[in-house]
Amino acid sequence: MKIGVVGLGAMGSGIAQLAVEAGFDTVGREVEMARAEKARDQIAHFLTRKVEKGTLEQGARDAAVARLSLTTALADLADCDVVIEAAYEDLEVKHELFQVLESVVRDDTILATNTSALSVTSIASVLERPERAVGMHFFNPAPLMPLVEIVRAERTADDVFEAAFELGVKLGKTPIRCSDTPGFVVNRVLIPLLNDCVRVLDEAGVTPQALDAGMKHGAGWPMGPCELLDLVGADVHVHASEALYEKLREPRMAPPARLVRMLQAGKLGRKTGEGFYRY
Ligand code: CAA
């Protein structure tokens, strides 16, 4: 099986890493070759760390890195069996990508989207064969988080849905089946929860450090909410929050003012070197 990954940002590069580690020839597509090479360097780095820690053989690491080819041309995804789109969260961008992808791939190629806040049904609406579209929503960091949500859109074919589930298993994940509702399962719960966490900062007058310690040591979270928001990025979180608020109109879904200010100031988290914390 050959996998295509469109967009090699934080999520796409993690998904490409999973695919090559699982033994699939993988084509990664980015808009600029420099960005694609940066993603490959990162994948190579994480696989090298695994060798250093004794969880991966050197030969297996080299073979995995060699299974990844890079391109800027969507036409190079023509012979992929499954293409996973992990591009920018913008409906127009995804519509254009899906239309071009459908024109280059085979009739039986599955087109999956890693969208976290857009409707898979709406993304698939531009396809001539929307039955081939499905959601495969991974969690950040994709190589470490076990879950993948397999999202059935209105017109997803049964065999496509099951094939995406099986692919999730082959990628070493724990897939769950769900419907195309706003936020699917985890973000429907996690986004308002993280928004509450940010509001509590000001309401209770606690520091990010204290809130993080509270949720780690009082609720068993693996990382605190402010650390997690810095990992996800204020831009990604605010965008997902707004998308959920637009659809559900629940006040808790709306992005908290403090996070919007951080976004406006370019304090996006790890990716810009400053969020709730400095990196
Ligand atoms: N890709 C690949 N490998 C990575 C990586 C990445 N992005 N980040 C780290 N690693 C590797 C590293 O090699 C690291 O080892 P070294 O530091 O020795 O090199 C190794 O993984 C282990 O990393 P950690 O020691 O940091 O692992 P940890 O035990 O602290 O766990 C964690 C890290 C899994 C991220 C854990 O803190 C956790 O579960 N956090 C919660 C994350 C979470 O909730 N994510 C969901 C975000 S919401 C979302 O994604 C939805 C959405 O739509 C926006």
Side-chain angles (χ1 to χ4, degrees):
M1 191 190 280
K2 191 165 182 178
I3 311 268
V5 181
V6 176
L8 296 174
M11 294 308 294
S13 70
I15 295 166
Q17 178 180 329
L18 288 167
V20 294
E21 279 193 270
F24 298 115
D25 285 331
T26 303
V27 190
R29 186 267 185 180
E30 249 302 343
V31 285
E32 287 165 15
M33 201 39 114
R35 287 201 209 181
E37 281 161 2
K38 193 173 158 212
R40 180 167 56 195
D41 289 349
Q42 199 163 17
I43 292 169
H45 161 77
F46 284 128
L47 295 179
T48 300
R49 288 292 300 147
K50 281 190 160 183
V51 174
E52 287 164 355
K53 288 187 279 186
T55 55
L56 187 68
E57 297 280 334
Q58 182 70 47
R61 177 249 175 235
D62 295 345
V65 175
R67 277 193 281 272
L68 178 64
S69 58
L70 303 175
T71 185
T72 55
L74 288 170
D76 288 337
L77 301 169
D79 61 346
C80 289
D81 301 285
V82 180
V83 177
I84 304 174
E85 170 275 316
Y88 188 64
E89 283 279 87
D90 179 289
L91 192 57
E92 264 182 52
V93 169
K94 292 190 193 276
H95 275 166
E96 201 183 316
L97 280 172
F98 267 56
Q99 269 175 328
V100 177
L101 283 169
E102 188 170 49
S103 72
V104 298
V105 297
R106 290 192 316 264
D107 275 356
D108 62 346
T109 299
I110 293 175
L111 297 180
T113 174
N114 178 56
T115 188
S116 51
L118 302 174
S119 148
V120 181
T121 304
S122 157
I123 293 172
S125 66
V126 293
L127 296 177
E128 273 171 33
R129 293 190 59 243
E131 314 83 68
R132 64 159 95 210
V134 63
M136 287 187 79
H137 181 223
F138 293 82
F139 291 77
N140 189 1
L144 304 185
M145 298 301 288
L147 185 70
V148 56
E149 292 172 329
I150 308 298
V151 186
R152 182 194 285 275
E154 275 310 305
R155 304 179 75 157
T156 304
D158 289 347
D159 59 335
V160 168
F161 191 56
E162 289 311 315
F165 188 94
E166 285 312 314
L167 176 60
V169 173
K170 286 182 187 147
L171 293 175
K173 297 288 145 190
T174 304
I176 58 170
R177 296 177 180 84
C178 59
S179 313
D180 189 22
T181 50
F184 314 134
V185 177
V186 172
N187 275 346
R188 168 69 179 79
V189 177
L190 188 60
I191 285 178
L193 193 54
L194 287 173
N195 286 342
D196 278 349
C197 287
V198 176
R199 291 188 180 106
V200 158
L201 282 174
D202 296 323
E203 282 168 24
V206 287
T207 61
Q209 287 86 346
L211 176 63
D212 282 353
M215 295 309 288
K216 281 191 282 191
H217 306 310
W221 285 28
M223 65 193 338
C226 298
E227 292 172 312
L228 181 56
L229 283 163
D230 277 359
L231 173 74
V232 168
D235 52 342
V236 172
H237 181 84
V238 167
H239 179 273
S241 265
E242 276 168 350
L244 254 68
Y245 179 64
E246 202 179 294
K247 286 169 191 152
L248 298 169
R249 295 282 164 203
E250 286 183 29
R252 289 178 68 228
M253 300 292 176
R258 179 171 175 150
L259 214 53
V260 174
R261 281 200 305 276
M262 284 170 62
L263 172 63
Q264 288 163 345
K267 294 183 185 175
L268 306 186
R270 284 176 183 270
K271 69 180 87 168
T272 56
E274 188 181 359
F276 289 102
Y277 299 98
R278 282 177 193 275
Y279 299 90

